[in-house]
Amino acid sequence: GHTASYAAAATLAGRPKAVRAAASACATNPIPVVVPCHRVIYADGRTGRYRGGPEAKHALLTLEAA
């Protein structure tokens, strides 16, 4: 997989100014296995929040990068 920014996710949803809403939706996603929101990060490279915790998000990104 590839990563995308929260701004890109908001734009894809048709609401380019809704970056905070996109970040919140990804952070509280109740089905992260089905909707892989761990790939959405801040534009500056910070990983942001993840329902499974920051360690899980980092581990998934590291695993997919290999």
Side-chain angles (χ1 to χ4, degrees), residues 1-63:
H2 66 283
T3 59
S5 69
Y6 291 113
T11 299
L12 285 172
R15 301 293 301 260
K17 293 184 179 183
V19 176
R20 292 178 75 181
S24 181
C26 288
T28 59
N29 176 10
I31 50 173
V33 174
V34 178
V35 180
C37 59
H38 67 276
R39 295 182 186 144
V40 185
I41 61 174
Y42 287 101
D44 65 6
R46 293 178 294 142
T47 58
R49 295 182 2 225
Y50 180 64
R51 187 171 185 92
E55 297 84 11
K57 186 169 186 171
H58 179 71
L60 288 168
L61 290 170
T62 301
L63 178 68

